[in-house]
Amino acid sequence: LHYNGRTRQAELFGHVILQDKKAKLQTTHLVFNRTTRLAFYDKNGIIYSDSNVLKSKRAFYNTNTKIFHFQKEVVLTNPDQVTHADTLIYNTNNKTAYFRGPTLITGSKSTIRCTRGWYDTGRDISKLMDRPVIESNGQQLSADSLQYNNHTTYGRAFGRVRIIDTLHHIIIEGRMGEMWDSKGMTYVTDSAMAITYDQSDSLFIHADSMWVYFDVKRQAKKMLAYHGVRFYRTDLQGKCDSIAYSISDSSMKMYTKPALWTGKNQLTADSMHINIRRNQIDSLSLFNSSFIVSQDSSTSFNQIAGRMMIGYFHHNQIYKIK
């Protein structure tokens, strides 16, 4: 120990421990000013605060405010997750960590990347800004900002929300979203759009709001789109009030005044069921008040009406109707 009585500054070497009621600090080199109550280390240090363990190359600790400023190779470990950060501020009074710079948060089921945000370790609540990204089981969620409660598994996303499911080749976008992980539900609204893609083409689905449901393995099962639904693909277009889309078998059910256009054909009914096989339409079922109009020439049309119709497709074009 070297202590200067005039500046009231102490410099300590070798197995240094600084302890108060809020935290315990261990390091090999520590500078402590008794006037400012500020401690500093620059040769690795470990902080123990309740169930949280923080490591870094260097840090400042204000013993009055109980706030740590960590820099360089910061690692925050608690029972739920491990956080790697460039710069981290930790308040031992409210048990909240504030991230500054590139940050990676790894949990048992997900990985989070962000550059700014905070995490309340006591309440297990976090808020992330500046386009954070959450990855879990082949899915990726990004937005301008995210709020998440680990206890209730409820989260909210704001601004340019984007969900990517690489397993089922689906992208869902909107301006606001909500998620209930324990229930396996995600909600996206405000200019909501879903894109299903394959090697040849993409299907764009737009609606006022969309719900996505997941199984216990966090794999998408189905998607529901409500109000003002419109979808587009090079060889298929349609609209209706609502759609139920089964992700496992790519079947789609259209409800309330559905209309479908494929090639020169326009199809309408009370409801429609579309079956897709190998990323192409296999068959189409029309229920109640089924009606098909097909352009025969520039001035004439063929029209077929019935209670129920089944259309069969080849290369996404109707070739037979029952």
Side-chain angles (χ1 to χ4, degrees):
L1 163 68
H2 298 286
Y3 179 67
N4 189 318
R6 293 180 179 179
T7 61
R8 303 190 67 187
Q9 181 167 293
E11 187 173 9
L12 301 92
F13 302 87
H15 304 290
V16 184
I17 296 177
L18 172 63
Q19 186 167 356
D20 59 21
K21 295 181 180 180
K22 296 292 183 180
K24 177 181 178 181
L25 163 64
Q26 292 181 344
T27 184
T28 58
H29 176 232
L30 180 73
V31 178
F32 181 66
N33 190 308
R34 295 185 61 207
T35 302
T36 61
R37 305 290 297 174
L38 187 67
F40 166 75
Y41 69 79
D42 58 359
K43 293 184 179 179
N44 297 323
I46 303 176
I47 311 296
Y48 299 93
S49 178
D50 295 327
S51 59
N52 301 300
V53 179
L54 292 113
K55 299 179 181 180
S56 68
K57 288 286 186 182
R58 55 184 295 175
F60 295 88
Y61 178 45
N62 190 320
T63 57
N64 288 325
T65 61
K66 311 300 182 184
I67 296 177
F68 284 93
H69 288 253
F70 298 94
Q71 297 173 344
K72 292 186 178 181
E73 300 180 22
V74 184
V75 180
L76 167 61
T77 304
N78 61 36
D80 298 314
Q81 57 196 25
V82 178
T83 301
H84 297 263
D86 176 74
T87 302
L88 188 146
I89 301 170
Y90 183 71
N91 189 322
T92 58
N93 287 319
N94 57 22
K95 302 177 183 178
T96 301
Y98 302 87
F99 314 121
R100 299 293 184 270
T103 303
L104 175 65
I105 304 172
T106 304
S108 59
K109 298 181 180 180
S110 64
T111 300
I112 301 173
R113 301 178 188 274
C114 64
T115 56
R116 187 166 65 95
W118 55 261
Y119 172 47
D120 187 331
T121 62
R123 296 186 298 164
D124 217 2
I125 298 174
S126 59
K127 181 175 181 179
L128 311 173
M129 288 81 79
D130 298 342
R131 297 298 298 172
V133 177
I134 301 177
E135 297 178 347
S136 176
N137 294 331
Q139 296 176 11
Q140 184 185 95
L141 167 64
S142 61
D144 288 346
S145 63
L146 294 169
Q147 295 179 359
Y148 191 77
N149 188 319
N150 283 332
H151 286 307
T152 61
T153 68
Y154 170 74
R156 302 181 69 188
F158 303 93
R160 295 183 294 168
V161 180
R162 186 178 178 91
I163 302 172
I164 301 175
D165 190 323
T166 57
L167 180 63
H168 299 99
H169 305 291
I170 296 177
I171 301 172
I172 299 175
E173 298 178 345
R175 295 180 181 174
M176 194 193 82
E178 296 180 81
M179 64 201 81
W180 297 263
D181 284 344
S182 60
K183 298 179 180 179
M185 297 165 49
T186 298
Y187 170 74
V188 178
T189 188
D190 195 353
S191 302
M193 181 174 66
I195 306 170
T196 65
Y197 58 92
D198 55 39
Q199 295 179 350
S200 59
D201 202 355
S202 299
L203 174 67
F204 294 81
I205 304 174
H206 175 78
D208 178 71
S209 58
M210 294 182 178
W211 291 83
V212 183
Y213 295 85
F214 304 89
D215 58 19
V216 293
K217 295 182 179 179
R218 193 58 190 176
Q219 294 183 358
K221 296 189 300 181
K222 66 178 179 178
M223 180 184 70
L224 305 179
Y226 291 100
H227 308 307
V229 177
R230 300 182 299 278
F231 59 87
Y232 176 87
R233 181 173 165 143
T234 306
D235 48 17
L236 181 71
Q237 303 86 40
K239 71 174 192 175
C240 59
D241 178 73
S242 55
I243 278 182
Y245 180 73
S246 176
I247 298 174
S248 59
D249 59 5
S250 299
S251 63
M252 188 162 58
K253 299 179 180 180
M254 304 169 60
Y255 300 100
T256 312
K257 297 181 179 179
L260 194 68
W261 294 271
T262 170
K264 297 181 179 181
N265 304 295
Q266 174 182 286
L267 303 89
T268 59
D270 289 349
S271 63
M272 298 183 187
H273 294 183
I274 302 174
N275 296 313
I276 299 175
R277 182 179 297 176
R278 299 186 183 93
N279 295 321
Q280 291 188 343
I281 301 175
D282 180 70
S283 62
L284 169 67
S285 300
L286 284 71
F287 300 95
N288 299 326
S289 304
S290 304
F291 190 67
I292 299 176
V293 178
S294 178
Q295 188 170 6
D296 186 39
S297 65
S298 60
T299 58
S300 62
F301 297 84
N302 294 320
Q303 303 178 51
I304 306 173
R307 180 168 294 177
M308 179 177 177
M309 294 184 185
I310 300 177
Y312 297 91
F313 288 73
H314 182 66
H315 295 304
N316 288 327
Q317 297 294 328
I318 293 179
Y319 73 92
K320 182 170 63 174
I321 295 176
K322 291 184 179 180

